Structures are given as structure tokens and as C-alpha cells.
Amino acid sequence: MTNKKQYKNLIAGKLCPAISGKKLDVISPSDGLSFASIPESSKRDIDLAVRAARHAYEKGAWGKMSATERGRILLKFSFLIEKHKNELAELEAKDTGKILSQAKSDIAGLARYFEFYGGAADKMHGDTIPMKGDFLALTLREPHGVVAGIIPWNYPSKILGRVIGAALDMGNSLVIKPAEDACLSVLRVGELSIIAGVPDGVLNIVAGTGIEAGAALSSHKDVDFISFTDSPITGTIIQQTAAKNNRGVTMELGGKSAQVVFADADLEKALPVIVSGIIHNSGQVCSAGSRVLIEQSIYDEFINKLATKFKELVAGPHDADFDLGALISQKQLKIVNAFIEQAKQENLELLATGKIANNDPKSGNYIAPHLFSNVPAKSDLAQKEIFGPVLCAFPFKDEEDAIKLANNTEFGLISSVWSNDGARQIRVAKKIRAGQIFINSYGAGDGNELPFGGCKKSGFGREKGLEGLYEMSAIKTIIFNHS
Ligand code: NAD
């Protein structure tokens, strides 16, 4: 018990416990055992962090630094993440339950964000605008000021990278509230930021519950902009709060993404990618490919291949590197199991399930992958974000039907088109309402360079790539009269 590491907040460049001294236990999803603690911060801690961020932004060295210097700090940060990659990956896997190979790839993604944004820092600039008469206008791309980042538990390190990489790059200061269910890698990255040379107060990280620390941050009157990734329900609450303060937000709120497989596709190539699209991170992915739409003429052939593959899949402890790890929490396990139970009650066709490893610790949050076939398009299974390794399959008649089914949810985050017909690839990609469409692949590569975000209930605004920098800045227009 006494050996448990006590993680600390980062406020004004100092590591500190919650002012109240309160802590939250950190439970490993793989075995249900507590192995560390995090501060249970309150409004007072958030207030201190926002004040530190405001001071660093207005008065500190940050505002005076050139974009090139900011970029160099980010590059040093990237190098440090690389240097600590094994330690960070092990921490991430233990904290989230994700398999170690995937945690390693997440940490590589975090380092890559700092590398990408470090390199971009001094390449962002405004425009000159020609005007009639004796006028000329130019635009400056300026930081928002103090940015709040509310980070989810499914990809703590990677999502931290995209938020703080872009925000720091543009010269903002930040207060980060990581999710109470998984925040150790975020707090550890905070420690490394001191070594990287991020000036005191520019990056503040405050752990605690959403209801207390999260709500205090998103409603804080001295926060200029909010980046939020998580559920639509909490996203709506935060939008309402931000509206009261007239603050800007980006909202990344999940999806029910479709992988559309036409009869002319390379099915051997599609099969492992479609499976990976739903078991990656145990399906706890906003962009999980949770619906597979298969052209009627190949439906039986392809669904049987998928079923064979599903039966081979194994969920197990993060350090044993099976196909998938544990779900984040008992709460999430209950949510996913409730969807499966409801589908069974509705007599939906459960075609295949994977296995849970024999040596799993019985108190871990494991769930075997499930494949449902011929799922009615209106059912909850086909419409709601499950956030677990549950794949719904449907047949479609033709291209028009495929597009209609793909668009037939409240969400619009990502999608894929599997076909060897080039004209069809473009036609279908243009008609599916989503922020990102993959052709003959899914979630390809790490994609730090690719703008990401959704439409409809999936939210708005774009993160990642250069678009992420535009979101983390605002344009000021200056007009000269040179008569
Ligand atoms: P939650 O809404 O309880 O918490 C989400 C995050 O928001 C946490 O970081 C929490 O601390 C914070 N939060 C909660 N209330 C807040 C408030 N009033 N103000 C500011 N921050 C607040 O969500 P959950 O129970 O962890 O997950 C519920 C569902 O969310 C999941 O089942 C899944 O469908 C979805 N989810 C989506 C993503 C994504 O990447 N889009 C990630 C994780 C979870």
C-alpha cells in the first residue's frame, strides 16, 4: 500500500498535491488492483492553474518568445518522450488496460505530435489582402490566450499530444484536465515538460473528477478557449457552459463509423483492417469502425470470413499482448455488456465471439469481441456508440443503398470505402457525411498530419495537422490607409 506512487498536479512549474490533500485511487483495468493515486483537485486548484496560465501568457517569457524558439522547445519535448518511451508505454498500458504494443504506438504518436508541431511553429503566418483605393490589409494569426484541454481516458497520451502540441505551437498557455479514469501518462508528461524547458505556468495539469475539476475548468471565466474530446452528453454540458462565457470550443464527440465493402474490393486486404478497426483499444475509440456494410452478393462469403477471424481473437492482460486488452473500468464493462444483453433479448443474430484468455485475472474488465450479423438499421446496436469490441454487420443492395445506410446515424466522424473502382471511391467518399474518409484502408498510419473531427453529433472543429493550429489561434486583421 505504502509503495503506491502518488502522482501530482503541475501548476506554475511545480508538482503539487491537491490543496485539500484529497486523492483518488488508480485502479489497473487488467486486475482491478489499486497501484497509484492522483490528486482529487477542486475548484481552488483549477483557479490556481488558470491564474498561472494567465500570468505565463500575459507576463512570462512565453509571449516574448519567437515561434522558432517555441518550436525548438516542442522538438526537445519530442526527443524527451522518445527517450522515455518504454517507461511511458508501460505506464499507459497499466493505467488504461490497453495492450503494450498499442501503448508503444500511442507514445510514438505523442512524440510525433511534438515533432510535427515543433517543425510547423515558425511556418504559420497570415495573409496580405489587396483592397481598392489606398488601403492594404494584413492578417496576424494570434493565440487565443489560456486554453483548457479536457482529455478523455481512451488515448490519454495521444490526445494530450494533439491538444498541447497545437496550442503551445501557436503560443497559448494551457490548463489540462485529464480523465480521472486514466491520467498517469499525462501527469508524467507534465513532469517531463519541465525538463523540456516549457516555461513555468505555460502548461498546467490538474487531475480530478469531471464533475468538480472538469466543471470548474470549463466554466472558468478566465479561460479563452476549450478543447474537449469525449461523450456527446458531457460535450453538450460544456458547450452550454462555454456559451454563458461566450467562449470558443472544439468538440470531438465520438461516432458510429461505417466501413463500406463493395463486391469488387480486395477482400483479403479488407478483412484484417476491418477486424482491427473494431478491436483496436478494445473498441474504445471514437473512430472505431463499429458498422460494416457489405454488398449483398458477397455478404455470406465475407461475413463468414469475419466470423472465423472473430472466433480466433483473444482479450487478456495488457502485458501479455493478446489481440486486445481490458476495458477501462467496471462502469464501461457494464455499459458494453448491457448493449450485448439488449441485442440478445431482441434476438439479434450473434454470429461469433472471441475468447478471454485463460490466465486473465478474474477481476479485470475483459470482454470478448462480438460480431452481430444482419443487424436492423434502427436498433440501438446499429445506432448508438457502444465503445467496446462489438461489430454490427449489414448487407446493402447497391451504391445508393450503401450511402444511405452509411449516413443513417446521428454521428459523422469517419468512414471507409473498400472498392477497386476509382470513380466509385470518389463518388461514395463525397456523399458520406463524415470528417475523414479512408479508401481501401482504415485509420491508416498514425495520421498526426491529417485533420480530424466530425459533423452532426460527432462534434465540430478540427484537430491534428495544420488545421489544429488554425483552431488554436484567431485571426486579427490590420488595415492600412497609405494615401
Ligand atoms: P464522462 O462524460 O463522465 O467524462 C468524460 C470526461 O469529461 C472526463 O475527463 C471527465 O472528467 C470530464 N467531465 C465530466 N463532466 C464534466 C463537466 N461537467 N465539465 C467538464 N468536464 C467534465 O464520460 P465517461 O463516463 O468517461 O464515458 C462515457 C462515454 O463517453 C463512453 O461510454 C464513450 O461512449 C464516450 N467516450 C468518448 C470518447 C471519445 O474519444 N470521443 C472518449 C471516452 C469516452
Side-chain angles (χ1 to χ4, degrees):
M1 291 281 274
T2 45
N3 288 337
K4 282 190 216 165
K5 180 161 177 186
Q6 298 180 12
Y7 285 80
K8 303 233 167 84
N9 290 332
L10 172 66
I11 300 179
K14 306 275 175 308
L15 300 175
C16 45
I19 296 170
S20 66
K22 283 192 188 170
K23 288 179 237 156
L24 292 167
D25 254 355
V26 178
I27 310 289
S28 164
S30 299
D31 57 18
L33 300 176
S34 157
F35 67 98
S37 70
I38 56 168
E40 185 180 355
S41 310
S42 67
K43 194 171 177 303
R44 285 197 293 159
D45 302 280
I46 290 289
D47 211 37
L48 263 189
V50 174
R51 266 195 273 154
R54 175 60 62 194
H55 186 270
Y57 180 73
E58 306 273 352
K59 306 247 165 38
W62 196 235
K64 298 183 194 92
M65 235 178 236
S66 68
T68 311
E69 286 171 301
R70 288 201 306 271
R72 283 192 189 130
I73 289 178
L74 279 168
L75 291 172
K76 186 164 173 209
F77 211 167
S78 173
F79 171 78
L80 267 172
I81 302 294
E82 262 302 312
K83 195 169 153 202
H84 291 267
K85 65 183 178 190
N86 290 334
E87 171 212 337
L88 284 165
E90 279 161 25
L91 189 63
E92 187 80 314
K94 186 158 188 177
D95 195 21
T96 60
K98 65 178 74 191
I99 52 176
L100 188 58
S101 55
Q102 197 209 310
K104 284 184 177 168
S105 133
D106 288 5
I107 299 302
L110 167 65
R112 173 73 187 125
Y113 274 118
F114 294 158
E115 181 186 47
F116 177 82
Y117 285 123
D122 53 8
K123 289 149 199 90
M124 295 305 290
H125 47 73
D127 292 318
T128 53
I129 304 172
M131 296 180 72
K132 67 180 181 183
D134 292 329
F135 290 95
L136 176 70
L138 61 82
T139 59
L140 299 180
R141 190 162 279 288
E142 297 188 328
H144 292 299
V146 176
V147 170
I150 297 173
I151 310 288
W153 43 256
N154 55 343
Y155 287 93
S157 53
K158 257 173 110 170
I159 294 180
L160 177 79
R162 78 187 191 201
V163 173
I164 67 174
L168 291 180
D169 189 309
M170 292 311 303
N172 299 281
S173 62
L174 283 138
V175 180
I176 295 290
K177 211 300 277 171
E180 51 272 47
D181 282 335
C183 64
L184 300 190
S185 63
V186 175
L187 294 169
R188 180 70 185 116
V189 170
E191 293 172 13
L192 293 176
S193 75
I194 301 172
I195 307 170
V198 177
D200 293 355
V202 169
L203 173 62
N204 304 276
I205 303 179
V206 185
T209 63
I211 211 124
E212 193 166 0
L217 180 59
S218 56
S219 62
H220 202 291
K221 291 206 161 36
D222 208 21
V223 163
D224 296 302
F225 189 82
I226 302 170
S227 164
F228 177 77
T229 300
D230 214 292
S231 63
I233 294 176
T234 308
T236 305
I237 295 170
I238 290 177
Q239 285 175 71
Q240 287 165 340
T241 312
K244 285 190 189 141
N245 295 335
N246 297 308
R247 295 299 189 260
V249 292
T250 53
M251 289 280 143
E252 200 270 82
L253 306 175
K256 192 72 187 175
S257 299
Q259 301 226 41
V260 185
V261 187
F262 286 93
D264 67 348
D266 180 340
L267 299 185
E268 294 309 312
K269 189 169 154 188
L271 187 73
V273 181
I274 288 171
V275 172
S276 161
I278 187 63
I279 64 160
H280 191 76
N281 213 40
S282 305
Q284 302 164 115
V285 189
C286 48
S287 52
S290 51
R291 296 182 298 145
V292 58
L293 281 46
I294 306 166
E295 192 160 3
Q296 186 76 68
S297 59
I298 55 155
Y299 188 81
D300 289 344
E301 176 197 349
F302 194 64
I303 196 80
N304 286 331
K305 283 188 177 167
L306 273 175
T308 306
K309 196 76 198 133
F310 261 67
K311 287 175 192 160
E312 292 165 2
L313 297 170
V314 183
H318 63 274
D319 46 3
D321 255 351
F322 287 102
D323 300 297
L324 59 161
L327 297 187
I328 190 73
S329 60
Q330 284 286 313
K331 176 181 153 193
Q332 192 61 25
L333 184 64
K334 278 195 195 118
I335 293 175
V336 178
N337 271 328
F339 274 109
I340 293 170
E341 275 316 303
Q342 185 189 334
K344 286 181 183 166
Q345 303 266 314
E346 290 168 5
N347 289 322
L348 302 193
E349 187 184 343
L350 176 57
L351 198 61
T353 53
K355 299 178 194 64
I356 294 175
N358 286 333
N359 62 342
D360 73 295
K362 293 297 166 237
S363 46
N365 313 324
Y366 301 101
I367 189 154
H370 282 60
L371 171 65
F372 285 88
S373 179
N374 290 306
V375 176
K378 284 193 177 143
S379 61
D380 278 358
L381 208 64
Q383 291 293 332
K384 302 226 163 120
E385 184 177 52
I386 298 173
F387 235 59
V390 180
L391 181 61
C392 312
F394 324 75
F396 66 83
K397 289 198 293 285
D398 53 23
E399 195 175 301
E400 197 185 334
D401 193 31
I403 293 162
K404 199 166 136 209
L405 275 172
N407 286 333
N408 182 28
T409 77
E410 287 182 292
F411 294 97
L413 191 57
I414 85 168
S415 192
S416 74
V417 182
W418 292 89
S419 166
N420 280 332
D421 176 337
R424 167 184 282 157
Q425 292 167 359
I426 304 282
R427 275 197 309 271
V428 179
K430 283 172 90 170
K431 286 190 181 150
I432 292 180
R433 287 199 65 200
Q436 226 177 39
I437 313 272
F438 288 92
I439 309 292
N440 293 335
S441 69
Y442 196 76
D446 243 356
N448 304 52
E449 308 81 1
L450 307 175
F452 180 74
C455 56
K456 304 197 283 183
K457 203 174 169 178
S458 294
F460 50 85
R462 294 292 176 264
E463 300 201 64
K464 302 168 77 166
L466 294 181
E467 289 290 334
L469 295 178
Y470 301 141
E471 294 285 359
M472 287 296 177
S473 57
I475 287 286
K476 178 184 279 170
T477 310
I478 303 178
I479 303 107
F480 297 89
N481 176 348
H482 55 75
S483 61

